[in-house]
């Protein structure tokens, strides 16, 4: 008997600001179609080139469908199928033994951003209650946005800023270190609305990206020098007498000190730092001085260098000087996550004693002999984390019990002792909040999981039961967790219930529209925008005068075909990516005897990877670029761009430095590729 056809509302779980609303068509229990939800006010029915293939991806032949145990050497990727009871029993015995001998802190739960769900993923710190009950080490998930979050918070008291929808009201738009058409393309519709009303769009980016090519103007800045440019633009604003005196007097603090810092950065000095023509800096400064409102979009890539936190702190100060923070369409948009007041309760009271914190981007450093169990979920650190070669060495430790919850046989899976099959988004319940818009999103499971796949929280519920844990909150259902998340009592959640979300699919937060976040002051100790003390520009590592044997600054932007390493094994998207490539300026290629289509070795003291040379004026001399997201075992030479990325911290929040590394290139002996 036919079960008929259903339309099931869901939301994209991936690490993208847009968090698209989608509709899955289910016929006789099978998902047969997925499309963007045309009713969603922000994503408006469009999915990206990656997620358009999501249904196909859920049925891929290399999908992990059953628990597995390692039977070969670590790194070999050789496993045998076992039952869930066998897997849970082996895990329980190993965890109990580790806790008894070494204490719970010997366990490192390594959660990534493979899903941003508040129930199954990183936003809700999925599984943290279970780990607290065991006394496991805390995991500091700093890989994505922490430097920028801290920098913005020091200025504004929060990392929240503009509602991205208000870019439609902007008259000058600065797309600063963000490739909108690749990473969050739904914003472009609002930018187009602004352009239709006469707005001028400027892309500030070391690479002439898809977005930069569509902008009215492109400034190819040296990587990591963004704060210096911000100061130079403000220097022009002051010289034009265009600072907003009323706003500065009544809504900011620390202005005189910051003003002195601006005056130390005239355009001629900033031109030397940024590599931009002085005339371009002056021209944009004049435009900024006299165009209200100005909206600035700056996303996570801009803060992945030694001075990343300071860069965001200084950029956030621009609308404090011009007064744009009080205008619809004015200000800075980085992340809207801070506006979602969900009640994320990881039950810290379950800890018997304080425990240490281990840092995500310091995996190679942190995996010392004190860590006896690494539990990886929603993450692929062998593909996504810096110091790739050193991580591999640590994962080869025979005394390290490694469990990986996964959907596909990633590079990290190859080093697991136990692999647990994980559900994908159309197979489980979750609650999401876009970090690039103001909507709560509901994901209803559309189909039953294939094989023996379990969701993150169901896995932890079963494991808690197998280990005999009696804490009731470890067994809360997904719907109970959703109810708890919405029970914060915050006015912006009033009237938003689980029943309503399940019915409607998405609900906008209870905030004004248009939303002007700091119209009534800032959530800082003073209630004002705080310009703060200390340097307003911290040079990147790549600005070192002593570059030694590695003269090229490497940046590792997002791929148009992968999202981090998700989809890195999809045959069609892998074909479209054309494999690892490195953008090299004509001058740098000629100096090294490199030709277009030739395979090159990219290297420094951390390691090396191979990539096909693409000679292009899209990068300036002294800068090379190679996209992230490729899988190590599917790449030539068995390494990816993260082999040359160092384990260093940004200036704030222990942020990552993926765009702040020095390398050299040389031709490979292998054949040409096209």
């Amino acid at each position: 008997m036919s079960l008929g056809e259903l339309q099931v509302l869901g939301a994209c779980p991936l690490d993208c600001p847009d968090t698209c609303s989608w509709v899955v068509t289910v016929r006789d229990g099978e998902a047969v179609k997925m499309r963007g939800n045309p009713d969603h006010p922000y994503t408006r029915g469009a999915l990206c080139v990656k997620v358009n293939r999501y249904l196909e991806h859920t049925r891929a032949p290399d999908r992990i469908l059953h628990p597995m145990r390692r039977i070969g050497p670590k790194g070999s990727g050789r496993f045998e199928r076992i039952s869930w009871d066998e897997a849970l029993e082996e895990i329980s015995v190993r965890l109990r033994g580790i806790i008894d001998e070494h204490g719970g802190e010997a366990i490192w739960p390594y959660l990534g951003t493979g899903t941003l769900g508040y129930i199954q993923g990183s936003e809700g710190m999925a599984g943290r209650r279970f780990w607290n009950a065991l006394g496991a080490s805390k995991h500091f998930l700093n890989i994505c946005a922490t430097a920028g979050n801290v920098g913005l918070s020091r200025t504004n008291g929060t990392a929240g800023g503009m509602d991205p929808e208000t870019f439609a009201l902007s008259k000058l738009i600065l797309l600063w270190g963000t490739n909108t058409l690749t990473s969050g393309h739904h914003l472009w519709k609002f930018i187009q609305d602004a352009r239709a009303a006469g707005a001028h769009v400027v892309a500030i980016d070391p690479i002439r990206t898809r977005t930069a090519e569509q902008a009215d103007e492109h400034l190819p800045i040296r990587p990591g020098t963004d704060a210096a440019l911000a100061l130079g633009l403000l220097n022009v604003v002051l010289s034009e007498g265009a600072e907003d005196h009323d706003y500065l007097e009544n809504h900011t603090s620390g202005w005189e000190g910051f003003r002195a810092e601006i005056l130390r950065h005239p355009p001629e000095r900033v031109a030397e730092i940024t590599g931009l023509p002085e005339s371009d800096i002056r021209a944009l400064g004049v435009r900024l001085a006299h165009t209200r409102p100005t909206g600035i979009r700056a996303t996570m890539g801009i803060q992945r260098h030694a001075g990343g936190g300071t860069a965001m702190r200084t950029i956030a100060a621009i609308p404090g000087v011009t007064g744009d923070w009080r205008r619809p369409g004015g200000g800075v948009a980085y992340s809207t996550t801070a506006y979602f007041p969900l009640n994320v309760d990881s039950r810290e009271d379950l800890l018997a004693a304080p425990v240490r914190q281990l840092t995500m981007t310091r995996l190679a450093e942190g995996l010392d002999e004190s860590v006896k169990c690494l539990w990886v979920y929603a993450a692929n650190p062998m593909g996504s984390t810096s110091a790739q070669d050193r991580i591999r060495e640590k994962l080869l430790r025979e005394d390290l019990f490694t469990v990986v919850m996964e959907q596909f046989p990633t590079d990290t899976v190859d080093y697991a002792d136990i692999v647990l099959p994980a559900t994908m988004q159309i197979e489980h319940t979750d609650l999401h909040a876009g970090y690039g818009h103001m909507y709560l999103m509901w994901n209803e499971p559309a189909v039953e999981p294939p094989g023996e796949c379990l969701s993150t929280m169901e896995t932890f519920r079963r494991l808690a039961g197998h280990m005999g844990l009696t804490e009731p909150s470890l067994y809360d259902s997904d719907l109970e967790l959703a109810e708890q998340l919405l029970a914060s009592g915050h006015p912006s959640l009033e009237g938003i219930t689980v029943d309503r979300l399940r019915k409607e699919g998405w609900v906008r937060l209870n905030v004004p529209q248009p939303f002007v976040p700091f119209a009534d002051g800032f959530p800082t100790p003073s209630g004002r925008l705080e310009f703060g003390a200390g340097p307003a520009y911290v040079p990147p590592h790549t600005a070192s005068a002593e570059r030694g044997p590695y003269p090229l600054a490497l940046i590792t932007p997002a791929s148009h075909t992968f999202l981090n390493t998700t989809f890195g094994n999809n045959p069609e998207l892998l074909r479209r990516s054309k494999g690892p490539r490195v953008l090299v300026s004509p001058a740098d290629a000629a100096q090294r005897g490199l030709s277009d289509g030739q395979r090159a070795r990219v290297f420094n003291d951390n390691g090396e990877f191979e990539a096909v040379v693409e000679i292009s004026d899209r990068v300036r001399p002294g800068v090379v670029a190679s996209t992230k997201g490729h899988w190590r075992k599917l790449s030539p030479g068995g390494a990816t761009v993260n082999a040359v990325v160092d384990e260093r911290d940004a200036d704030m929040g222990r942020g990552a430095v993926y765009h702040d590394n020095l390398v050299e290139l040389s031709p490979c002996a292998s054949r040409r590729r096209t």
Side-chain angles (χ1 to χ4, degrees):
M1 179 178 177
S2 173
L3 300 177
E5 189 168 284
L6 299 173
Q7 305 293 316
V8 182
L9 298 176
C12 180
L14 301 178
D15 187 7
C16 166
D18 290 5
T19 314
C20 291
S21 176
W22 66 37
V23 183
V24 179
T25 301
V26 179
R27 185 178 304 131
D28 295 335
E30 180 184 359
V32 296
K33 181 181 178 182
M34 175 187 285
R35 61 185 175 90
N37 185 352
D39 297 328
H40 192 275
Y42 190 80
T43 60
R44 300 182 186 179
L47 299 176
C48 69
V49 66
K50 301 171 275 282
V51 177
N52 270 328
R53 311 192 75 84
Y54 195 81
L55 278 190
E56 169 195 287
H57 205 51
T58 66
R59 297 188 285 263
D62 56 344
R63 177 90 187 263
I64 296 172
L65 299 176
H66 308 281
M68 299 186 295
R69 176 195 294 123
R70 176 170 64 91
I71 57 173
K74 285 199 171 188
S76 67
R78 292 171 53 200
F79 300 95
E80 64 178 357
R81 178 178 170 180
I82 57 175
S83 69
W84 266 104
D85 281 343
E86 288 176 295
L88 295 175
E89 178 63 20
E90 183 166 340
I91 290 169
S92 298
V93 169
R94 293 292 297 269
L95 291 182
R96 286 292 185 199
I98 289 169
I99 293 168
D100 290 345
E101 185 174 353
H102 304 283
E105 286 183 308
I107 302 169
W108 185 347
Y110 194 97
L111 170 63
T113 58
T115 169
L116 301 187
Y118 276 87
I119 297 173
Q120 313 293 353
S122 60
E123 292 291 0
M125 295 303 292
R128 190 62 236 176
R129 293 181 183 183
F130 174 80
W131 299 119
N132 284 344
L134 298 187
S137 293
K138 289 187 177 180
H139 174 65
F140 181 30
L141 204 159
N142 68 320
I143 202 165
C144 187
T146 55
N149 285 338
V150 174
L152 283 163
S153 296
R154 290 189 183 181
T155 300
N156 297 338
T158 174
M162 292 173 64
D163 175 355
E165 291 184 51
T166 63
F167 274 101
L169 305 174
S170 303
K171 294 302 181 184
L172 172 61
I173 297 174
L174 306 184
L175 300 175
W176 207 322
T178 182
N179 184 7
T180 302
L181 289 173
T182 284
S183 301
H185 70 95
H186 295 88
L187 179 64
W188 197 252
K189 292 185 287 289
F190 298 93
I191 293 172
Q192 287 177 313
D193 290 342
R195 284 177 116 172
H200 185 79
V201 178
V202 181
I204 303 170
D205 199 302
I207 308 173
R208 193 173 71 247
T209 62
R210 290 170 182 261
T211 303
E213 288 178 341
Q214 295 297 315
D216 299 306
E217 186 179 347
H218 173 220
L219 298 185
I221 191 171
R222 284 190 182 124
T225 63
D226 308 279
L229 177 59
L231 292 168
L233 295 176
L234 287 175
N235 188 285
V236 178
V237 170
L238 295 188
S239 69
E240 292 286 305
E243 65 269 40
D244 188 323
H245 294 284
D246 175 73
Y247 194 82
L248 288 166
E249 181 178 351
N250 294 303
H251 298 284
T252 73
S253 66
W255 167 236
E256 286 306 316
F258 187 61
R259 180 177 181 276
E261 186 70 11
I262 292 170
L263 293 177
R264 285 192 285 270
H265 289 80
E268 58 270 22
R269 180 187 176 196
V270 171
E272 293 177 1
I273 295 171
T274 63
L276 297 172
E278 181 183 338
S279 59
D280 288 354
I281 297 169
R282 290 189 183 277
L284 182 56
V286 170
R287 190 183 290 274
L288 172 65
H290 301 292
T291 309
R292 308 273 74 76
T294 290
I296 302 171
R297 177 62 162 171
T299 51
M300 288 65 209
I302 198 174
Q303 45 91 67
R304 291 180 179 146
H305 59 85
T310 300
M312 287 309 306
R313 180 171 76 90
T314 303
I315 289 170
I318 292 174
V321 177
T322 63
D324 275 312
W325 275 125
R326 62 167 144 199
R327 298 180 175 91
V332 178
Y334 178 68
S335 170
T336 58
T337 297
Y339 294 129
F340 293 89
L342 297 177
N343 182 36
V344 177
D345 185 4
S346 58
R347 294 295 306 274
E348 295 297 306
D349 61 299
L350 298 180
L351 284 167
V355 295
R356 66 179 177 176
Q357 179 175 269
L358 297 170
T359 302
M360 185 177 198
T361 55
R362 293 287 188 144
L363 180 58
E365 175 188 279
L367 271 182
D368 58 22
E369 296 299 320
S370 70
V371 178
K372 300 300 181 182
C373 172
L374 180 70
W375 189 293
V376 180
Y377 55 124
N380 180 18
M382 271 299 296
S384 296
T385 309
S386 45
Q388 188 175 88
D389 293 339
R390 289 174 56 212
I391 290 173
R392 180 180 181 276
E393 291 174 8
K394 298 297 183 72
L395 292 179
L396 288 171
R397 280 175 41 200
E398 284 295 333
D399 67 326
L400 179 67
F401 179 53
T402 302
V403 179
V404 179
M405 299 163 66
E406 249 300 348
Q407 302 157 351
F408 294 97
T410 65
D411 292 316
T412 305
V413 163
D414 288 348
Y415 296 84
D417 294 291
I418 298 289
V419 181
L420 301 178
T423 49
M424 295 180 71
Q425 187 75 345
I426 63 170
E427 301 151 8
H428 60 228
T429 298
D430 217 337
L431 176 65
H432 290 265
Y435 66 87
H437 58 62
M438 306 294 288
Y439 299 87
L440 270 174
M441 315 283 289
W442 183 260
N443 186 77
E444 188 76 10
V447 295
E448 291 296 317
E452 298 178 279
C453 296
L454 296 181
S455 70
T456 300
M457 292 311 300
E458 181 60 20
T459 297
F460 286 124
R461 285 190 284 262
R462 293 194 187 187
L463 183 55
H466 210 89
M467 296 186 72
L469 301 180
T470 58
E471 165 55 42
S473 68
L474 301 182
Y475 302 97
D476 287 346
S477 70
D478 292 346
L479 292 180
E480 288 172 327
L481 291 170
E483 295 280 6
Q484 294 164 24
L485 285 161
L486 294 173
S488 70
H490 195 280
S492 66
L493 294 180
E494 185 178 352
I496 302 177
T497 65
V498 171
D499 286 344
R500 182 181 174 191
L501 282 166
R502 294 184 76 180
K503 179 181 179 181
E504 299 178 20
W506 51 269
V507 179
R508 182 178 166 88
L509 292 177
N510 293 316
V511 295
Q513 197 167 14
F515 178 47
V516 183
F518 309 129
D520 299 318
F522 292 80
T524 59
S526 66
R528 294 166 171 252
L529 181 148
E530 297 182 351
F531 290 113
Y537 166 58
V538 173
H541 173 70
T542 54
S544 169
E546 299 297 329
R547 293 192 175 193
Y550 308 117
L552 300 173
L554 171 71
I555 54 177
T556 62
S559 166
H560 197 70
T561 50
F562 310 139
L563 207 159
N564 302 326
T565 62
T566 301
F567 305 113
N569 61 323
N570 183 282
E572 175 57 21
L573 294 176
L574 191 59
R575 182 191 68 80
R576 293 187 191 183
S577 77
K578 301 180 181 179
R581 306 180 81 81
V582 59
L583 279 178
V584 187
S585 73
D588 287 331
Q591 185 177 348
R592 289 158 180 80
L594 297 171
S595 57
D596 204 54
Q598 181 179 20
R599 184 171 290 170
R601 173 176 168 253
V602 186
F603 61 97
N604 59 19
D605 290 339
N606 296 307
E608 63 180 71
F609 70 99
E610 294 182 11
V612 173
V613 172
E614 183 176 335
I615 299 174
S616 174
D617 62 0
R618 291 171 55 208
V619 290
R620 59 184 302 135
V623 177
V624 294
S626 188
T627 56
K628 64 180 179 178
H630 291 279
W631 287 19
R632 180 185 175 108
K633 61 185 172 184
L634 300 180
S635 298
T640 72
V641 67
N642 284 334
V644 300
V645 176
D646 200 4
E647 274 194 335
R648 286 181 286 108
D649 294 340
D651 55 340
M652 299 179 189
R654 304 205 72 180
V657 293
Y658 289 104
H659 302 325
D660 195 6
N661 296 275
L662 292 168
V663 298
E664 181 56 286
L665 271 65
S666 65
C668 283
S670 53
R671 62 182 177 83
R672 287 172 56 94
R673 281 184 55 188
T674 57

